[in-house]
Amino acid sequence: MLMKAPQTAIRAVVLMFCVFLLPAMGTGADKPCYMCHKSKIVGTYVHAPVADKDCVACHKSGGNAHQKNKELNGVKKPGAALCYDCHDPLNEQKSVHGPIKNNDCSGCHAPHVSPYKKLLRAAPADFCFTCHERQKFTWPAPHEPVGAGRCTDCHVPHQSTVANLIKPTKELICYECHDSGISKGKSVHVPVFDKDCSGCHNVHGSDHKKLLKASPTELCFLCHDKKNYQKPSTHEPVIAGRCSDCHLPHQSDTRSLLKFKTKPMCLECHDPKIAQGVSVHMPVRACECDVCHDVHGADTGKLLKMPYAMVPEAPYTDTAYALCVSCHDKAAYTQEENYTDTRFRDGKTNLHALHVKGANVTCRMCHNPHASPQAKLFPESVIGKDNMPIMLNFTPDIRGGSCKMTCHSAKTYKH
Ligand code: HEC
Ligand code: HEC
Ligand code: HEC
Ligand code: HEC
Ligand code: HEC
Ligand code: HEC
Ligand code: HEC
Ligand code: HEC
Ligand code: HEC
Ligand code: HEC
Ligand code: HEC
Ligand code: HEC
Ligand code: HEC
Ligand code: HEC
């Protein structure tokens, strides 16, 4: 608040000065200052004490004497201290503008008169650029208010309770013009929640579209470690840095900022036929693609979370068959005798173990991991060890079944 009270007193003094002292002038003894310094009071916008011809509110008094005694030319107090005689201090908040920290009001304001409002030293369009390099705020596609030179849409000139001299607002300066819905949703990105818009946007302008700080394919790696997205088996859209194929940048109504509401979102890009057939694997039917796959990448081929023998033949080890035996009992494939907890047996012979442990035949030769047009996830054909396709024809029976394939003629088992 301004101290208005002294002003009335000042006006009275000035009035007395005019009535009693002016007529006595001409001797040159104590002419009022403005008689000799006329330019100081002529202008479109005149500072109130100047308009009041109260020169000595700021200047050391001295009349003509000052022409001889340069000491008396100065103002009463240096820098901002003079202004703070009548104006509230402007250097008390969290963020204080550089010149004000240096107690320099005069870089921006003329003390007496100015052709510009608020006694500013330059026209609004050029004002900030008297000190800030215009080049730094010039972009081919600037943020609209910046391009229009409306710096004060977002900044205050003196001080602010918000860092960077940002105009204090109820929520966030950006939401004065943009929908605050970007920070509401089931999952909100941490930097958005933290109001760190500058984590991704250059607020004044950028060489990238949407004011982004980096190209869309590099943006996410400003904060997320690229190494985590460079596994031996990496999902193609991840390799290409197209995180936004699956994620939204601000918020989402689905978990993990996902773009897709459907479950499984995998089928947004992959042929849904992968999960359809006469037999469908239970986890696939349950839409749980991620029990077997790591969506970004994995150490094992085909984005698999655990090793899986992707060849026609491989000796059984717990490691090599880890994926399937993480849910299925490994004894079914290794215990050749006296194992009855599988339907693939002939009498007492466990045909599963006979093939897998006994003959190194991998699960892949008889089962598809997702779905298939035959029962028991049997594929119609597989590629054999000599690189030739093998046709499979599996016929289930109530107590057994029969298998016809290129490698052996129809064989039947019973249990
Ligand atoms: C009789 C005329 C006259 C009066 C009255 C007068 N001045 Fe001056 N003032 C001058 C002259 C002449 C100079 C010297 C100009 C120069 O050095 O270029 C000067 C110089 C100044 C300067 C220094 C200018 C500079 O460029 O450094 C200030 C400040 C100043 N006067 C303030 C005042 C104030 C305040 C008053 C009233 C209390 C006042 N003057 C009254 C004539 C006057
Ligand atoms: C609000 C305070 C204030 C008032 C009121 C004021 N001045 Fe000043 N004046 C200043 C400041 C600040 C300077 C710059 C002094 C400095 O840099 O040392 C200045 C400088 C001057 C100068 C020197 C030339 C220049 O422009 O730098 C003159 C002459 C002058 N004032 C005349 C006047 C006259 C005449 C009045 C009354 C009509 C007046 N001033 C009223 C603050 C004031
Ligand atoms: C002697 C008291 C006094 C001093 C000292 C003083 N001012 Fe003022 N200033 C006023 C008054 C009175 C007003 C008019 C306030 C109003 O209109 O609400 C004013 C208004 C202003 C305005 C607004 C002008 C407008 O057009 O609205 C600015 C800017 C300003 N002062 C800057 C300064 C600066 C910079 C200094 C220091 C160099 C300073 N003042 C020193 C009394 C003073
Ligand atoms: C970086 C430039 C800058 C500096 C430095 C600066 N001001 Fe200002 N000031 C402005 C601008 C711009 C406005 C006009 C704001 C507006 O129109 O909303 C203003 C307005 C004012 C006003 C009018 C009040 C109002 O809100 O309209 C006063 C009084 C004022 N300044 C005093 C000061 C004082 C005292 C200092 C030194 C402590 C100072 N200013 C330093 C830029 C500055
Ligand atoms: C009189 C010179 C001057 C003018 C005019 C000026 N500035 Fe500044 N500004 C500075 C200085 C000096 C700094 C401090 C620079 C630094 O710390 O590197 C600064 C810093 C800033 C900062 C950073 C504040 C912070 O907290 O880090 C912002 C924002 C800013 N200015 C905006 C503006 C805007 C907007 C305008 C126009 C309304 C403007 N400036 C006009 C001199 C000026
Ligand atoms: C849309 C709001 C907005 C507008 C308009 C705007 N700024 Fe800023 N400015 C900001 C934000 C937000 C920051 C903090 C930036 C950050 O965190 O990187 C900032 C920071 C700054 C800084 C300090 C950091 C830096 O980048 O140097 C300066 C100086 C600055 N702005 C000057 C200006 C000037 C000059 C203009 C007008 C040409 C302007 N601003 C227009 C929002 C804006
Ligand atoms: C004074 C109003 C205003 C404020 C405050 C503001 N903006 Fe904007 N912004 C606009 C306008 C106008 C556009 C261009 C029209 C549009 O796309 O909506 C825009 C566009 C954008 C764009 C898209 C740019 C493009 O090239 O399509 C982004 C990103 C953006 N603003 C981010 C921000 C951020 C971050 C903040 C807070 C620091 C912010 N804005 C504050 C007015 C504002
Ligand atoms: C993690 C990075 C990131 C953060 C943090 C971020 N944004 Fe964005 N923002 C983006 C991306 C990427 C786009 C471009 C989206 C597109 O092209 O569809 C964008 C676009 C925008 C747009 C333009 C919308 C449109 O459809 O054109 C606005 C406005 C915007 N952001 C505002 C903000 C605000 C405000 C904040 C802070 C609350 C913020 N952003 C934080 C990454 C981010
Ligand atoms: C400014 C830093 C920053 C940038 C840039 C950034 N993020 Fe984030 N992100 C974070 C932080 C912090 C977290 C929370 C901690 C964590 O999970 O690492 C997070 C978490 C996430 C999450 C997990 C959200 C959840 O609800 O579990 C996803 C998904 C994500 N970010 C995707 C992205 C994408 C896609 C991009 C590029 C468009 C991106 N991030 C760019 C900082 C950032
Ligand atoms: C093919 C779709 C897809 C792509 C492309 C994708 N993500 Fe994800 N992301 C997901 C899914 C699905 C989840 C949820 C995983 C979960 O909840 O188990 C997720 C989770 C996340 C998480 C949080 C959990 C975690 O794993 O840390 C972050 C962070 C993340 N993604 C960042 C990224 C980044 C960065 C990129 C680009 C390099 C990216 N994502 C590309 C689908 C994708
Ligand atoms: C945004 C589109 C998209 C989404 C969503 C998507 N993928 Fe992919 N995926 C691709 C593309 C493109 C390829 C490479 C071409 C191909 O093999 O079809 C690929 C390849 C794969 C591969 C083969 C990897 C290899 O090394 O050969 C697997 C496995 C895979 N995706 C699983 C998934 C799973 C699981 C999900 C859901 C969590 C998913 N994908 C979601 C686009 C997507
Ligand atoms: C039980 C584990 C498991 C589940 C659940 C699973 N997959 Fe797979 N997926 C695999 C295995 C194993 C492979 C490697 C098959 C091969 O090449 O032998 C694979 C391969 C793939 C491939 C690459 C196909 C190719 O021909 O290269 C895609 C795409 C894929 N899966 C998508 C999905 C989708 C989408 C889901 C969910 C609907 C899903 N997977 C669920 C185990 C699984
Ligand atoms: C996440 C757990 C899980 C993993 C990993 C898993 N399965 Fe399954 N599988 C199941 C469940 C649950 C069933 C249904 C109950 C049952 O028959 O045991 C099933 C059933 C089957 C069936 C019988 C299908 C039918 O139509 O009756 C076959 C064949 C099969 N799985 C093969 C595999 C193969 C091969 C692997 C390795 C690629 C594998 N499974 C990995 C959970 C899993
Ligand atoms: C030589 C072909 C063959 C191989 C190799 C094979 N299976 Fe099977 N599997 C079958 C047949 C045939 C059935 C159907 C038995 C029935 O229902 O009559 C079956 C059934 C299953 C079932 C249903 C439950 C059961 O045991 O009856 C699961 C689970 C299964 N297999 C998992 C696997 C896993 C895991 C592997 C690799 C470790 C594997 N299979 C290797 C032929 C094979």
Side-chain angles (χ1 to χ4, degrees), residues 175-230:
Y175 300 152
E176 294 296 298
C177 304
H178 298 289
D179 184 3
S180 66
I182 66 161
S183 62
K184 296 178 183 105
K186 190 172 165 199
S187 68
V188 177
H189 206 177
V190 167
V192 175
F193 184 83
D194 290 347
K195 302 186 171 146
D196 176 22
C197 312
S198 323
C200 292
H201 295 288
N202 268 341
V203 288
H204 301 120
S206 164
D207 289 331
H208 306 286
K209 66 176 181 71
K210 303 288 176 196
L211 304 175
L212 294 177
K213 261 183 142 168
S215 74
T217 54
E218 286 298 325
L219 182 73
C220 310
F221 302 128
L222 292 178
C223 300
H224 296 281
D225 192 348
K226 200 171 194 165
K227 283 203 293 289
N228 297 339
Y229 302 90
Q230 291 172 326

Side-chain angles (χ1 to χ4, degrees), residues 309 311-316 321 333 344 351-367 382 385 390 405 407-408:
V311 288
E313 275 186 10
Y316 180 88
Y321 286 71
Y333 318 106
F344 190 27
L351 296 172
H352 254 139
L354 186 89
H355 282 88
V356 178
K357 180 126 184 273
N360 298 341
V361 181
T362 57
C363 317
R364 185 181 204 256
M365 298 305 284
C366 298
H367 299 294
V382 287
K385 61 179 172 180
I390 301 170
M405 53 176 85
C407 54
H408 55 61

Side-chain angles (χ1 to χ4, degrees), residues 2 80 83-84 87-88 90 97 99-100 103-109 117-118 120 127 152 157-158:
L2 275 168
C83 316
Y84 294 152
H87 294 286
D88 287 338
L90 296 172
H97 207 170
I100 295 176
N103 288 316
D104 174 22
C105 311
S106 63
C108 295
H109 295 288
K117 271 191 186 150
K118 305 287 173 193
L120 293 179
F127 180 69
T152 50
H158 302 133

Side-chain angles (χ1 to χ4, degrees), residues 306-320:
M306 278 172 271
Y308 168 73
M310 249 176 288
V311 288
E313 275 186 10
Y316 180 88
T317 63
D318 289 349
T319 316

Side-chain angles (χ1 to χ4, degrees), residues 14-260:
V14 170
L15 190 69
M16 279 165 60
F17 189 83
C18 296
V19 173
F20 301 108
L21 293 179
L22 275 181
M25 275 175 2
T27 59
D30 261 338
K31 268 191 193 173
C33 321
Y34 61 85
M35 295 292 281
C36 299
H37 298 289
K38 283 202 178 65
S39 69
K40 296 294 163 226
I41 57 167
V42 183
T44 318
Y45 297 96
V46 183
H47 199 183
V50 173
D52 289 344
K53 308 207 174 62
D54 185 11
C55 311
V56 291
C58 296
H59 287 280
K60 291 172 187 164
S61 161
N64 293 351
H66 72 290
Q67 284 170 261
K68 295 189 194 94
N69 185 357
K70 296 280 179 199
E71 268 285 288
L72 300 171
N73 280 351
V75 283
K76 287 177 167 172
K77 291 180 182 173
L82 180 67
C83 316
Y84 294 152
D85 268 354
C86 302
H87 294 286
D88 287 338
L90 296 172
N91 57 357
E92 293 181 322
Q93 292 171 3
K94 176 174 175 180
S95 155
V96 175
H97 207 170
I100 295 176
K101 267 189 219 155
N102 297 332
N103 288 316
D104 174 22
C105 311
S106 63
C108 295
H109 295 288
H112 311 109
V113 296
S114 164
Y116 310 108
K117 271 191 186 150
K118 305 287 173 193
L119 300 171
L120 293 179
R121 289 211 185 262
D126 305 317
F127 180 69
C128 305
F129 303 125
T130 53
C131 300
H132 294 281
E133 213 182 317
R134 191 188 288 268
Q135 190 57 33
K136 278 193 183 163
F137 300 90
T138 309
W139 299 89
H143 196 186
E144 202 190 273
V146 176
R150 298 196 319 265
C151 312
T152 50
D153 275 5
C154 297
H155 294 289
V156 292
H158 302 133
Q159 61 175 347
S160 173
T161 48
V162 186
N164 284 298
L165 293 171
I166 298 293
K167 193 187 270 183
T169 51
K170 208 168 97 237
E171 226 180 332
L172 176 67
I173 184 71
C174 316
Y175 300 152
E176 294 296 298
C177 304
H178 298 289
D179 184 3
S180 66
I182 66 161
S183 62
K184 296 178 183 105
K186 190 172 165 199
S187 68
V188 177
H189 206 177
V190 167
V192 175
F193 184 83
D194 290 347
K195 302 186 171 146
D196 176 22
C197 312
S198 323
C200 292
H201 295 288
N202 268 341
V203 288
H204 301 120
S206 164
D207 289 331
H208 306 286
K209 66 176 181 71
K210 303 288 176 196
L211 304 175
L212 294 177
K213 261 183 142 168
S215 74
T217 54
E218 286 298 325
L219 182 73
C220 310
F221 302 128
L222 292 178
C223 300
H224 296 281
D225 192 348
K226 200 171 194 165
K227 283 203 293 289
N228 297 339
Y229 302 90
Q230 291 172 326
K231 296 279 174 67
S233 163
T234 301
H235 209 175
E236 195 191 274
V238 174
I239 296 175
R242 295 196 319 266
C243 313
S244 59
D245 276 5
C246 298
H247 294 289
L248 291 168
H250 304 129
Q251 63 82 35
S252 140
D253 293 332
T254 323
R255 75 199 157 97
S256 300
L257 297 170
L258 290 175
K259 214 174 177 171
F260 310 109

Side-chain angles (χ1 to χ4, degrees), residues 233-237 242 245-246 260 264-270 289-290 293-295 301-304:
S233 163
T234 301
H235 209 175
E236 195 191 274
R242 295 196 319 266
D245 276 5
C246 298
F260 310 109
M265 46 83 75
C266 314
L267 302 184
E268 295 282 341
C269 300
H270 293 286
C289 309
D290 58 350
H293 295 287
D294 258 331
V295 63
K302 304 283 180 195
L303 316 176
L304 291 173

